[in-house]
Amino acid sequence: MHFQQNFLCPISALPELLYDAACEVRSIVDSVPAEALLTAAIAACAAVVQRGYDAQGLDSRTMPTTMFTAALVPSGFGKGTSFMLFFQALNAHSTERHLRDIQEQEEHRKTGTKKTQAPDGLMLQEVSYRALMEYLHGANRNTTIQHEEGLSFLGRDLFKKNIDKLTQIWSGNPPLKHKVRGTDLITVGGRCSLGFRIQPKLFYPHLKKTDNASFHQGLWPRAIAACY
């Protein structure tokens, strides 16, 4: 199976394993556009490798493997299915860890002991800047924020008031500091990739309403965005 693709969406440039995975998803829901498959494949890989690896360019400079992605696809074309299938392993891992965390919280409540920090590498969704800093507090922790429908994320304080922090945590350098109720939260070498899927008719009015602030602050220049 091969895609009849527009040259502006170079999905055939994916490594063979990822391209075959995209074809498999397309065989399940044939309406999923290449734009949704390309960004989902990249986002899923980045979530796994971002803490362990950087990439070195031909000029010997290194850059993070952390990736921001945005898929702009109208409703009903299967972008949710693409997201679900590419992230099914990470979703299952996060669900298992969250259930275990709930059990541990209950045990800590009964015994009066202090709750331990959440496990590293989980996938987050609705999250404030404070919650993100609490999660990444420490050294070399990582997470990914992924939304099946990204409109709600655009209204969160993390995006509206602290978007510069998202661009900073793309590379984890310099360290981020945040004081909450007298407690210093510091993340050193933390990484956070970001990906969401949204309808174009919802996304473009948001950009106009905010005078393209997210672009000027460096978020989208660090992103792979594809519009179907």
Side-chain angles (χ1 to χ4, degrees):
M1 175 183 177
H2 295 282
F3 292 98
Q4 291 182 346
Q5 59 179 320
N6 187 299
F7 73 95
L8 292 177
C9 186
I11 191 168
S12 61
L14 287 173
E16 183 177 358
L17 180 65
L18 291 180
Y19 184 79
D20 289 346
C23 291
E24 178 69 18
V25 175
R26 187 69 176 272
S27 70
I28 297 173
V29 181
D30 61 8
S31 62
V32 182
E35 289 81 356
L37 295 169
L38 176 68
T39 51
I42 292 172
C45 288
V48 176
V49 305
Q50 62 182 347
R51 186 179 64 174
Y53 299 92
D54 284 344
Q56 186 176 52
L58 297 177
D59 59 0
S60 296
R61 291 187 300 174
T62 59
M63 66 183 297
T65 50
T66 304
M67 298 297 300
F68 295 161
T69 60
L72 312 183
V73 180
S75 179
F77 282 85
K79 61 181 180 295
T81 300
S82 175
F83 165 69
M84 178 186 66
L85 291 173
F86 270 106
F87 278 88
Q88 59 184 343
L90 191 55
N91 259 323
H93 170 69
S94 294
T95 298
E96 178 186 351
R97 293 300 311 189
H98 285 312
L99 288 173
R100 194 179 305 174
D101 192 42
I102 292 173
Q103 295 175 346
E104 291 176 355
Q105 287 183 31
E106 182 62 19
E107 292 174 2
H108 289 308
R109 186 187 66 80
K110 291 179 179 178
T111 59
T113 56
K114 185 178 180 181
K115 179 184 175 297
T116 57
Q117 190 175 15
D120 190 25
L122 298 184
M123 186 165 69
L124 306 180
Q125 292 183 349
E126 298 292 345
V127 60
S128 64
Y129 176 53
R130 171 186 169 182
L132 180 63
M133 286 297 298
E134 288 177 340
Y135 180 85
L136 292 176
H137 177 66
N140 301 320
R141 287 177 60 84
N142 82 111
T143 188
T144 182
I145 301 174
Q146 297 291 329
H147 282 260
E148 183 177 343
E149 281 291 348
L151 182 60
S152 61
F153 176 72
L154 297 178
R156 302 288 294 184
D157 79 302
L158 182 58
F159 195 90
K160 294 174 67 176
K161 299 179 181 179
N162 297 285
I163 198 169
D164 58 320
K165 302 302 190 298
L166 276 176
T167 58
Q168 187 173 338
I169 211 159
W170 170 72
S171 64
N173 187 36
L176 274 177
K177 298 180 180 180
H178 182 55
K179 184 180 288 290
V180 179
R181 298 175 183 172
T183 301
D184 287 324
L185 299 174
I186 303 174
T187 174
V188 178
R191 297 287 177 86
C192 178
S193 59
L194 166 68
F196 66 95
R197 300 96 195 135
I198 192 172
Q199 298 178 44
K201 67 179 181 180
L202 299 176
F203 182 68
Y204 290 122
H206 173 81
L207 288 185
K208 292 180 180 179
K209 183 178 179 181
T210 57
D211 196 27
N212 294 315
S214 55
F215 177 83
H216 296 304
Q217 289 184 291
L219 183 69
W220 301 121
R222 288 172 171 80
I224 292 179
C227 180
Y228 175 65

